[in-house]
Structure formats: structure tokens, C-alpha cells
Amino acid sequence: MEVADNREFAADVIAALSARPKSISPKYFYDAVGSDLFEAICVTPEYYPTRTETSLLRSIAAEIAAGIPDGGVLVEFGSGASDKTRLLLDAAPQIAAYVPIDISADALAKAVERLTADYPHLLLAPLAGDFTAELSLPTAVAQLPKIGFFPGSTIGNFLPEQAVEFLRSAYHLLGSDCMLIIGADVVKDEAILVAAYDDAQGVTAQFNKNLLARINRELGGDFDLDAFDHVARWNPAFNRMEMHLVSRVGQIVNAAGLPFTFKAGESLHTENSHKFTRESFEALANSAGWRLERQWLSGAPEFAVFCLKPIQPEES
Ligand code: SAH
Ligand code: AVI
């Protein structure tokens, strides 16, 4: 990790542990260990979103591909292992270039190595960084038509106002003649949701606690991982799953050179995963300057894929 990144991580951890209630951005889950743990979550029996979205994308890839222009550039936000990407690349050989964007440099490097071997004619231009920061595309692809791709329901990890900000900046990055394909998880029975975020093997608990392990590794922290419980709960007021790390005891923990107090039962809120309906997603997209061009819905457990296009001035 770069020194500058480490400084930002330290500052965000200090702010998170000083806040009441304590809360941190989920982007810090994804160091090399966290990215591998996320891949392990995706194959647990309870975590349906990956399987469901993958099979939906497989069945609609040709329809999506039909709307992709010749020589288009696929720009993916939070690309991870780039597995779902392959479904689009295979269905749309007219795609000339691929720009995977991910905060996990390790996950990005591994994905690019595999894609280079399997798609020798594709121009690959990876960007390691935060997709909420100001981004610019490599000059080699600047003039090509853009197709944004944001699978996984990672959009659900934003608060609604952050999602709107992200969608607005995606428009600026992709240009007025683009399309944006977004995967979004759908509101459903609470028991299915809670199980997906609290799998029986404890992989999601490990993923959540890796945040503490990462603070120990990178910021000289002394978190005792066994002194915290992984808690996954449905918050009906905001239609979201929440993940927390709840202190089992009253304790003082050191991190980034400072002491922080936890009361027994006090929580560090680590993630929100908002779930959508067609109506709530469309309203979100509209408020950020996008219109819903098409939508596809899987069978139960439901997961949706949306195709968005920028609202043109004459439409507003
Ligand atoms: N798109 C993949 C991976 C989803 S997991 C899929 O659908 O399976 C979320 C991915 O987003 C991870 O690879 C993580 O490293 C990345 N990510 C999370 N927050 C990010 C941020 N702020 N900027 C860039 N990448 C981010
Ligand atoms: C990446 N993101 C959409 C996942 C989610 O479902 O919110 C991360 C995750 N958290 C727990 N399990 C998976």
C-alpha cells in the first residue's frame, strides 16, 4: 500500500473510532485478504447475489451486447475478479477496450493477468483507485463510446445521497452518449437476507473482522478479534442490510497511535447493503440524471439488472 493511502486509511480509522456511533466506509474491507474473503463469500450457499446475477447476466448477455457499439470501451466500477465481465466480453466481441477500476490493487492485478491471457486482442487499461474520487480515463480510450458496468449491487453499499453523487460522476466520466449496466439486489424476505450476510461457515464474519485485522497489520492496532461479534441485521426503515462489529466487553483498543474506548455492546458500523425495488431504483437513477432504458429481473431470490441512459436535455 502507498504511504499516501496509508495516511488516508489512518485518518479515516481515527475519525471512525472517534465518532458516535462508530462507523467506517466499507471500502476498507478490500485489501488482498479481504478481496479473497469476498470471493469466498460469493460461493457460500447463503450468498445468493453472485450466483443469481451471474445466471441472469448469462441469459441476457446477447441482449445487452446488441446495444454495445463497435469499438466500445467497457468501464467497470469495482471490478474485483472481473468474472461477470467475461459474460459481456464473450457476448460482445465488438468491445475494443476494457477499463477495470478497483481499490484493491491485488485483486485488479490478478484479474488483469488472467484477462490478458484469455482476451489477447482486448486493450486493457486498469485503474487502481477509489471510484468515488475524481477519475479520468486513459487517453487511449478517451474518444471511444463508453459502456459503464457496475455489477454486484455495490451501488447498494452507498447511502442514497452517495449513490446519486456516484451516478452523476459516472455520467461525467462516461459522456452523454453512453449506457450504464447496473446490478442491484432486490428487497426480499428478511430471513434470506440475514442468512446471506451471516453464513453458517462464518466466512462473512471473517470478512467483517478482517477490517480489524487490517488495522492491526497496517496501523499498528491491537484489536482482539475474539472480543468482537459479527452482527448482520435488516434495517427496515432504510431497506438495507447492515453489518456491525459489536464489542463483547468494555475495552480500550489502540490504533494509528491512539487509544479508543469501546463500551460493552458498542458497535462499529462497517457496511450498509441497500436493497431496491424497480420503483426505488428508477427514482434514484432519475434524480441523478439517468433514465431507465431496460430492466431484467431474475427468478427468486430476485436480483435486478438495469440499463440506464443519460436523460437528454430535451427529455427533462
Ligand atoms: N464486481 C464484482 C466485485 C464486487 S465486490 C462482483 O460483482 O462480484 C466490490 C468490489 O468493489 C471489490 O472488488 C472492491 O475492492 C471494490 N470497491 C469497493 N469500494 C471501492 C471504491 N470506493 N473504489 C473502487 N473500488 C471499490
Ligand atoms: C460488494 N457488496 C455489494 C457486497 C454486499 O453484498 O454488500 C459486500 C458483502 N458484504 C457482505 N457480504 C458481501
Side-chain angles (χ1 to χ4, degrees):
M1 162 171 281
E2 305 288 325
V3 175
D5 290 347
N6 207 287
R7 258 189 243 132
E8 187 192 334
F9 183 33
D12 284 354
V13 165
I14 291 169
L17 297 179
S18 309
R20 299 289 178 273
K22 295 177 168 61
S23 171
I24 189 161
S25 165
K27 71 181 180 184
Y28 290 116
F29 282 139
Y30 301 95
D31 63 350
V33 178
S35 296
D36 286 347
L37 283 167
F38 176 74
E39 293 304 310
I41 287 173
C42 292
V43 293
T44 60
E46 295 91 342
Y47 193 72
Y48 63 86
T50 305
R51 269 191 307 281
T52 311
E53 186 185 31
T54 301
S55 74
L56 179 60
L57 281 171
R58 188 171 290 120
S59 69
I60 64 174
E63 287 174 69
I64 296 175
I68 296 180
D70 274 354
V73 49
L74 187 66
V75 178
E76 182 170 352
F77 303 94
S79 45
S82 292
D83 286 337
K84 294 166 189 165
T85 322
R86 289 167 180 262
L87 298 168
L88 296 189
L89 294 176
D90 293 344
Q94 71 271 31
I95 293 174
Y98 174 48
V99 181
I101 305 171
D102 206 287
I103 202 161
S104 173
D106 298 88
L108 193 63
K110 277 196 219 166
V112 166
E113 195 184 327
R114 290 191 296 258
L115 289 168
T116 307
D118 295 342
Y119 298 88
H121 302 296
L122 188 69
L123 172 63
L124 281 165
L127 282 181
D130 187 337
F131 53 48
T132 62
E134 204 173 313
L135 295 170
S136 50
L137 294 175
T139 44
V141 305
Q143 300 310 317
L144 303 177
K146 317 285 183 314
I147 304 98
F149 187 40
F150 195 23
S153 202
T154 304
I155 192 161
N157 295 138
F158 292 129
L159 293 170
E161 59 271 24
Q162 295 170 328
V164 169
E165 202 179 316
F166 170 83
L167 288 170
R168 285 190 203 282
S169 60
Y171 168 81
H172 289 295
L173 190 72
L174 300 173
S176 57
D177 189 26
C178 70
M179 64 196 250
L180 180 53
I181 306 292
I182 305 198
D185 196 10
V186 171
V187 175
K188 56 181 60 66
D189 189 70
E190 180 173 342
I192 295 173
L193 288 166
V194 171
Y197 289 81
D198 194 10
D199 63 281
Q201 291 167 71
V203 185
T204 311
Q206 243 184 297
F207 173 73
N208 199 5
K209 288 190 180 188
N210 177 57
L211 177 76
L212 305 182
R214 183 178 181 186
I215 295 172
N216 289 350
R217 282 192 293 272
E218 293 182 23
L219 302 177
D222 61 3
F223 277 99
D224 171 6
L225 273 53
D226 292 332
F228 288 83
D229 284 319
H230 162 69
V231 173
R233 74 169 79 104
W234 173 243
N235 184 332
F238 297 103
N239 277 352
R240 70 190 189 200
M241 279 302 302
E242 295 181 0
M243 293 208 309
H244 295 260
L245 290 162
V246 176
S247 183
R248 287 185 186 158
V249 291
Q251 55 180 318
I252 294 173
V253 179
N254 296 289
L258 292 170
F260 297 96
T261 307
F262 279 85
K263 297 194 185 96
E266 188 176 352
S267 152
L268 170 60
H269 184 174
T270 50
E271 187 187 66
N272 293 314
S273 293
H274 292 84
K275 308 298 170 185
F276 301 90
T277 59
R278 179 208 152 104
E279 292 71 26
S280 70
F281 191 87
E282 186 169 19
L284 180 78
N286 289 166
S287 65
W290 296 85
R291 68 179 166 80
L292 193 55
E293 167 91 356
R294 282 200 74 173
Q295 66 143 357
W296 299 268
L297 191 63
S298 76
E302 289 181 333
F303 193 99
V305 171
F306 297 99
C307 175
L308 305 182
K309 295 254 172 108
I311 296 173
Q312 302 300 335
E314 66 273 16
E315 296 175 59
S316 53

